[in-house]
Amino acid sequence: MQNKKQGVLKMTSKIALIVLLFTIVEQLARAYQTGYQLVSPLITEHTIWEINKQFIFQSFVCAITSIPALILYFFDKYILVIALILLVLIACRFIYI
């Protein structure tokens, strides 16, 4: 029973890490798409940067968090990995700079 529980936690932490990596890619894709679609002589580069700043910051926070999450994963601390990633994903929903 303990081995099955450990396997479920390991699979859940793998899925959480993959979701975190997809979140990083999604935020960077949003920044690229915003810059690509707002090409107009009426919209300045500063305005585009102000819009993209939040996407870049959120992807930076997720990328920095993925390093300790991966370290914890390799030390078999699956519950800590899941908790850390959940906290960061919830916090990224409320980060607005």
Side-chain angles (χ1 to χ4, degrees):
M1 189 69 172
Q2 185 70 12
N3 195 15
K4 186 176 181 179
K5 182 180 176 184
Q6 189 76 2
V8 169
L9 284 174
K10 185 175 183 178
M11 182 61 68
T12 306
S13 62
K14 280 183 186 180
I15 292 170
L17 283 168
I18 290 170
V19 167
L20 185 65
L21 293 177
F22 279 144
T23 303
I24 295 168
V25 171
E26 175 194 12
Q27 295 299 331
L28 292 175
R30 283 182 183 185
Y32 174 76
Q33 185 178 12
T34 303
Y36 183 75
Q37 289 182 350
L38 291 179
V39 176
S40 170
L42 300 175
I43 301 173
T44 64
E45 290 290 325
H46 179 71
T47 306
I48 295 172
W49 168 249
E50 287 296 319
I51 295 170
N52 282 338
K53 189 168 51 173
Q54 73 180 17
F55 300 132
I56 294 170
F57 183 73
Q58 288 176 353
S59 67
F60 181 72
V61 168
C62 290
I64 293 299
T65 306
S66 68
I67 296 168
L70 280 171
I71 291 171
L72 289 171
Y73 176 79
F74 288 125
F75 283 115
D76 298 334
K77 307 290 184 187
Y78 303 126
I79 295 176
L80 289 175
V81 170
I82 295 166
L84 178 66
I85 291 174
L86 284 177
L87 286 173
V88 167
L89 290 177
I90 290 170
C92 278
R93 300 296 297 163
F94 299 106
I95 294 176
Y96 293 105
I97 59 170

